[in-house]
Each structure stands twice: as C-alpha cells, then as structure tokens.
C-alpha cells in the first residue's frame, strides 16, 4: 500500500534538516509532504532540497489546518503524521504500520515521560487521557500525540471536524472511537526537539487546551458530561428544598432555580447527544 508521510512545519528548518534525510533513508518509496505553515525561515527550501513535496501557506493557519492541507494532497492509502522538529524517529513508523496490518484503523505513538515539554504539560495530558478513557471505555495512553498513522479512507471522513489549531489529535482520536474504528497505541521514546522552543504559548494555549476537556465529551457522548452536572443541580435543589421546608415550611426561589437548572442542563445534554449522532451519520 502507498504510504504518505505528512509533516506540518512552522520555522522548522533545523528539524527538517535532521528528519527528512532519516525519512528518505528508511522510507525511500514513501510520499513525503511538508506543509509550510507560514514560516519565515528556510523551512520550504530545506524541504525541497531533500525531495519533499512542499505546500506553502502565505500566513500561519495553525497545526490542524496544515494537517488538513497535507491529507487532502496525499495520494497514499496510509497516512502517517509526525512532527517536523526531529522528535520522532522514522524507524518507529514500522511499529505503527504493524498494528494497522493487524486490523486497526488508527495507531498512535504514545510518548513516554521524556516526551512531555514540562511537568505542567505532562499533568494536563494525564488528565486528558484519564477523561478520554472514561468517556470511551478504552484505555487511552496519549490523547494529544501528533505521531500517528491512519487509513486514509477513514481519516478523510472526519477532515471537516478537525480544528485549525492544536487539538487535531484529540478530535481525530475521539472521532475514530465514536465511529467504532479500532484505535491502538504503541509506546515510543521521543527525542529532544531540534531548533526553537515549542510554538505553544502557556497562557493562550493553556486556555485552549482547557477547552479540549469539553471537546472530548461533546465529540463522544455529551450526556456523560451534562448528566452528572445536571444531577448535581438536581440534588442541590432537592436538598435545599428539604432544608427550607424543615426550617420554615417554604419552597424557596433558590430551590426553584436549582431544579430549573437541573432540567435545562439535562435537556441541553440530550439535544447535544442527538446533534453528535447526526455529526457522525454517514450517507
């Protein structure tokens, strides 16, 4: 089967100078696509020098947008996505392909502890993994890893769902689980990145990553998020009513507010569940 390897890159000339020769040596027949996301350095030039197909953007559109552009341009039956900063060893692609051959539709390279940028990021990723594992009922080792392989026919089904920002791994993983496409995880070591520091900004993207928690729920089963919240409002309303009725024999406005919130939140979750089902409906 034809293999297409897609590397989103923004100012990654140093990383590409290391990654592309190794890719060519290990996978000489593969289609290599570098998506230059508005770089201001020699990213595109270095990629062309090493024989990669280059898709250049006049300005930065985001990591997810680069993934979508690369997937649309790829001709392979198998799509492999990896970072352009030299962290991923091309030799580990074979481990992903072995799992695809075993019947999985997506295989993700799960980073070890050394692959986390810092302790805060590692803690956040651990939280995402646990939440996603609870939502899906499957053990998820690394929800946000950008090193993955997928069958092109399956991945293209969800291209319209992918955001232009940094959470494309989360979205694609949850979409595969929701659609009952089997996903596997392969532990891999990660090298220190080459070149400049990570493009992720702690405050701005920290808030963005916080929203991933809600995206995890709404992409898979919104009621698993809304039902517990609604239950809290319902129990608080009944508890407050029991207290005020015991103390003064009254049904207060606060009890009405809490019980109304219970009904509203539950109905929003129910509607969200139906919308999610329609999102994954295949014609």
């Amino acid at each position: 089967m034809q293999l297409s390897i897609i590397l989103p890159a923004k100012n990654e000339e140093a990383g590409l100078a290391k990654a592309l020769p190794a890719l060519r040596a290990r996978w000489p027949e593969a289609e290599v696509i570098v998506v230059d996301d508005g770089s201001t350095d020699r990213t595109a030039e270095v990629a062309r020098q090493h024989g990669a197909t280059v898709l250049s953007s006049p300005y930065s559109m985001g990591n997810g947008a680069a993934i979508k552009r690369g997937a649309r341009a790829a001709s392979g039956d198998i799509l492999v996505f990896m970072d352009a900063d030299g962290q991923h060893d091309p030799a580990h692609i074979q481990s992903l392909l072995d799992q695809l051959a075993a019947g999985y539709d997506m295989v993700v390279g799960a980073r070890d502890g050394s692959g986390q940028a810092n302790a805060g990021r590692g803690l956040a990723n651990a939280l995402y993994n646990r939440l996603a594992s609870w939502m899906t009922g499957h053990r998820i080792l690394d929800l946000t890893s950008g090193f993955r392989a997928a069958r092109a026919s399956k991945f293209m089904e969800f291209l319209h769902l992918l955001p232009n920002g940094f959470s494309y791994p989360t979205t694609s993983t949850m979409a595969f689980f929701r659609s009952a496409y089997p996903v596997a995880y392969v532990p891999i070591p990660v090298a220190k990145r080459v070149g400049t520091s990570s493009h992720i900004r702690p405050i701005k993207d920290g808030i963005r990553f916080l929203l991933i928690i809600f995206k995890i729920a709404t992409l898979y089963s919104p009621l698993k998020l809304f039902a517990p919240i609604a239950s809290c409002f319902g129990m608080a309303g009944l508890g407050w009513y029991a207290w005020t009725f015991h103390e003064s024999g009254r049904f207060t406005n606060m009890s009405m507010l809490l019980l109304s919130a219970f009904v509203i939140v539950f109905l929003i979750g129910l509607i969200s569940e139906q919308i999610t089902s329609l999102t994954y409906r295949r014609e």
Side-chain angles (χ1 to χ4, degrees):
M1 301 181 76
Q2 177 65 31
L3 184 67
S4 293
I5 303 174
I6 301 168
L7 299 90
K10 180 180 179 182
N11 297 330
E12 295 288 4
E13 60 175 299
L16 289 174
K18 172 186 176 182
L20 291 179
L23 270 175
R24 280 302 179 195
R26 183 65 180 81
W27 305 98
E29 302 300 324
E31 176 186 43
V32 178
I33 300 175
V34 173
V35 185
D36 174 19
D37 187 31
S39 299
T40 57
D41 64 359
R42 298 175 58 252
T43 290
E45 181 181 344
V46 170
R48 291 190 183 95
Q49 287 175 353
H50 289 90
T53 300
V54 178
L55 305 177
S56 293
S57 301
Y59 56 88
S60 179
M61 298 182 183
N63 181 261
I67 290 295
K68 289 189 281 188
R69 295 189 67 204
R72 292 190 189 104
S75 59
D77 304 295
I78 301 296
L79 304 180
V80 175
F81 304 98
M82 59 189 299
D83 294 342
D85 54 14
Q87 287 187 307
H88 301 143
D89 185 346
H92 293 144
I93 293 177
Q94 186 61 55
S95 299
L96 307 185
L97 299 182
D98 289 343
Q99 291 299 311
L100 287 179
Y104 292 95
D105 289 320
M106 176 182 281
V107 184
V108 182
R111 297 162 292 183
D112 56 19
S114 63
Q116 303 298 339
N118 52 57
R121 189 86 152 277
L123 182 61
N125 284 336
L127 174 62
Y128 302 151
N129 295 340
R130 290 181 65 86
L131 178 62
S133 298
W134 171 69
M135 294 292 301
T136 63
H138 300 275
R139 189 185 180 195
I140 294 179
L141 300 180
D142 194 345
L143 185 66
T144 60
S145 172
F147 185 38
R148 57 188 59 212
R151 302 186 190 278
S153 58
K154 303 294 195 301
F155 190 84
M156 296 303 290
E157 290 182 23
F158 310 115
L159 208 63
H160 65 287
L161 292 178
L162 303 185
N164 287 344
F166 281 99
S167 59
Y168 104 83
T170 301
T171 305
S172 59
T173 299
M174 300 306 288
F176 268 67
F177 275 119
R178 171 76 188 197
S179 298
Y181 291 148
V183 178
Y185 286 86
V186 176
I188 58 166
V190 179
K192 184 178 180 180
R193 63 174 282 116
V194 177
T196 59
S197 59
S198 174
H199 297 302
I200 297 179
R201 304 295 181 263
I203 297 178
K204 180 180 178 181
D205 292 305
I207 296 174
R208 190 177 303 171
F209 280 144
L210 184 61
L211 296 178
I212 290 178
I213 294 177
F214 298 100
K215 178 170 286 189
I216 290 171
T218 54
L219 280 173
Y220 194 80
S221 180
L223 266 180
K224 279 196 172 184
L225 174 68
F226 286 99
I229 296 175
S231 298
C232 290
F233 280 115
M235 289 186 293
L238 291 175
W240 185 254
Y241 171 56
W243 171 258
T244 55
F245 184 81
H246 177 268
E247 292 296 315
S248 58
R250 294 187 303 122
F251 180 75
T252 64
N253 292 337
M254 179 58 72
S255 297
M256 176 59 73
L257 178 63
L258 291 171
L259 292 175
S260 297
F262 157 70
V263 174
I264 292 171
V265 172
F266 178 76
L267 291 179
I268 290 175
L270 196 61
I271 294 172
S272 298
E273 189 78 25
Q274 301 305 314
I275 293 174
T276 300
S277 298
L278 292 174
T279 299
Y280 292 101
R281 186 182 66 181
R282 298 178 62 187
E283 299 297 337

